[in-house]
Amino acid sequence: MRHDSTPGPEAVAVLATPPERTANPAVSRRELIVVAVLTLAFLGLLVLWSLLTPIYGAPDEHAHMNSGVRLTQELSWPEPGDARMYGMVAAARDEAGVPAAERSTFAELAADVPGTGGVDQMTQHPPLYYAFAAVVLQSIGFMDLRADVALVGLRLAGLIFAAPLPLLVWASTRRITRSPRAAVVGAAALLAVPQLAQILASVSNDGLTILLCSIVVWLGTRVMTGDARWRIVIALGVALGLALLTKGTALPFIPFAAVTLIVWPRGSTVGRRVLRAGSSLAIAFFIGGWWWLRNLLLFGDLQPSGLAGIRDTVPWEPGTSPDVIAYLDRMWTRMTGSFWGNFGWLEYPLPQLLTDVLSVIALSVVVVYAFRRGPVRWQVVVLASLPALVLVLLFVNTWRHYVRTQQFAGLQGRYLFVTIVALVVVSAVAWRRFIVPAQRRTVGVALVGLAAVVAAAGLLRAYIGEYEASQYRLSLDGLRAFAAMTPGGAPAIGLAGGAAVVVCAFALVLTIRWIRGRDSATTAAAADEERAQPASTPA
């Protein structure tokens, strides 16, 4: 039999097509089921995190709650530094060490501790998330609920922002790599970041910001891969505008949206692309961008700090000065640790060796392989610019605070979560180039298994840190403390924990079987995708 390695006419047509216009492999029903089950597993873990994290046991949770409560009491948003903590919210936080059954309602706390005191720094942010929080609190009648039950209710309501994330990661990765297998592994990779789970399962404006920024990235990948419809341009502007009305970490998405719409799709004229970019950015400015111009006009600062008035300037001793090398070293340690997992109020970190190894491997593969010549090189560059820009802005903001106060404040990896979709997509491209095609299924299975192990390690570390007397043991006393302190007690923990274990185990098995190619539709799609991307191996 004659073997001819010359590409047939169909393959030539595919390879001659610009990469942004190459069709994705058809989505099989089994693939959709896998993504749906992974989403349920992700949500199951988040429900467990919402019960595991002690009340007000996540970063700044009391202040986020306080600003939501303020909007239920008065329709005002004070200037940064002028907002005050309600006595009842501070008292509710003080009850964190009291068994759940003995805690008070907000109405009781308001009667016992009326008025306000202390600074609530959250008015340094726009108010969109807090309007959502106020609506939820009012709808559940929070004043008549035990304060911890109201908090957990708001945590659970916020999971609506987390639910689409696996789908957005899957869809974005699929658009760029045209690989169903890489897209599913990318969705499963969210489990490997337990810090993301804790933040999404807490009362915080981060959840809404992460969702909206993830939608911007997903829409951006559609533009990069040839979707020229005006509805995408309008939707991108709306999502960006809402993100800008939520938190300052959305600001780097302005240049991302502009560059994406000006460069792609390449089949359009330059004038049309500029018109599309201008229209999208105008929509974003009308919805939320005006907030940041307002800050510049009123305060002379893009984001004035809500705590600036209570943090004193500390002069440097003669002969000493800010040390950028020491600062970058501290930034690496804190950012990597609190990206993968540093729980509570940054009190219970995963082992530094683990977070260093995960960080070094992930960064090394991306740096070496993600930007090599290939059909999606510039898409990857633009996507990678997002986390890079977030890091630059974070360094600038925290460095000036360090120079003024000598404090290493604000160095938290969770600020990168707004770029989580971009991080996964860029990593997927890099890993596909790093691993030869024959080994991709094996490596995909290994990565999914690693994600599950890290997810379990995060839950275990947070539990031990909060409830056990020693980090080297599990005890009945610790489990009793967990049940006593958690709203809903043992029944809620058992139901949430049992459901999460069952769904996660099922998702793990189903995903591994699918990646290994048990589904004939998956095998066919993977074969098509590898024929269509000869440049996916290292150049």
Side-chain angles (χ1 to χ4, degrees), residues 15-16 23 34 85 105 108 113 143 155 178 215 243 357 378 508:
L15 298 178
V34 170
M85 291 290 300
T105 66
E108 292 168 341
V113 191
M143 288 297 292
R155 285 178 178 176
R178 296 189 294 281
I215 291 173
V357 168
W378 292 111
L508 186 62

Side-chain angles (χ1 to χ4, degrees), residues 355-421:
T355 57
D356 280 347
V357 168
L358 290 173
S359 300
V360 169
I361 291 176
L363 287 172
S364 298
V365 173
V366 166
V367 169
V368 175
Y369 291 97
F371 308 105
R372 294 192 172 196
R373 185 177 303 167
V376 292
R377 183 181 191 179
W378 292 111
Q379 286 92 331
V380 171
V381 168
V382 173
L383 287 167
S385 70
L386 272 174
L389 188 53
V390 170
L391 284 173
V392 169
L393 292 178
L394 183 65
F395 174 80
V396 170
N397 286 335
T398 56
W399 172 261
R400 68 177 182 174
H401 176 81
Y402 163 68
V403 170
R404 186 174 69 85
T405 67
Q406 300 189 38
Q407 295 180 4
F408 296 96
L411 299 177
Q412 295 191 38
R414 64 188 172 97
Y415 296 133
L416 285 170
F417 292 157
V418 291
T419 69
I420 192 70
V421 174

